[in-house]
Amino acid sequence: QVQLVESGGGLVQAGDSLRLSCAASGRTFSSYAMGWFRQAPGKEREFVAAISWSGGSTYYADSVKGRFTISRDNAKNTVYLQMNSLKPEDTAVYYCAAARPLANWGKGVEADFGSWGQGTQVTVSS
């Protein structure tokens, strides 16, 4: 398994940008597809974005498509989530996760991700 630590969350205003980082431990980081999920108060955790091990394939939830960009730097064992044009409804705890081997991770199903970070809070004020 890989250990994950998110950072970069904070309080911003609507329309602002924020970049989340997820640092991974372990030499096998580059072999994992990675994803970002979020959980708003009183709601279930939902898929945000995912990226293949090489970075060549990405998937997004419709709610963030065109505003958020997932990327990774395998040399730094880090995956990023660039969030632009933030809205109050983007307020949530954001989690990064590593996909299970052979999982169909592009569907954004939680069960296909086996390692999770502790989360970072993003609050967008109107």
Side-chain angles (χ1 to χ4, degrees):
Q1 283 195 344
V2 61
Q3 283 72 50
L4 305 170
V5 178
E6 302 95 335
S7 62
L11 172 62
V12 297
Q13 293 186 332
D16 284 352
S17 298
L18 207 57
R19 189 177 80 158
L20 305 183
S21 299
C22 173
S25 64
R27 294 177 292 176
T28 59
F29 169 77
S30 61
S31 66
Y32 290 92
M34 299 293 296
W36 286 96
F37 291 75
R38 68 186 181 186
Q39 187 168 21
K43 295 186 177 181
E44 294 186 352
R45 189 155 56 185
E46 64 176 2
F47 169 73
V48 174
I51 189 167
S52 63
W53 66 271
S54 67
S57 296
T58 57
Y59 297 89
Y60 297 93
D62 288 342
S63 59
V64 306
K65 203 171 294 183
R67 298 188 299 122
F68 290 10
T69 302
I70 188 171
S71 62
R72 66 189 299 161
D73 185 338
N74 286 341
K76 295 183 177 180
N77 278 14
T78 302
V79 62
Y80 305 98
L81 185 67
Q82 177 67 43
M83 305 184 294
N84 298 330
S85 303
L86 282 162
K87 304 175 181 180
E89 50 263 45
D90 295 319
T91 295
V93 177
Y94 283 72
Y95 300 88
C96 71
R100 300 181 188 276
L102 304 181
N104 191 358
W105 54 268
K107 293 184 176 180
V109 176
E110 278 195 47
D112 289 326
F113 292 80
S115 298
W116 293 81
Q118 83 290 346
T120 186
Q121 176 71 47
V122 173
T123 303
V124 184
S125 64
S126 58

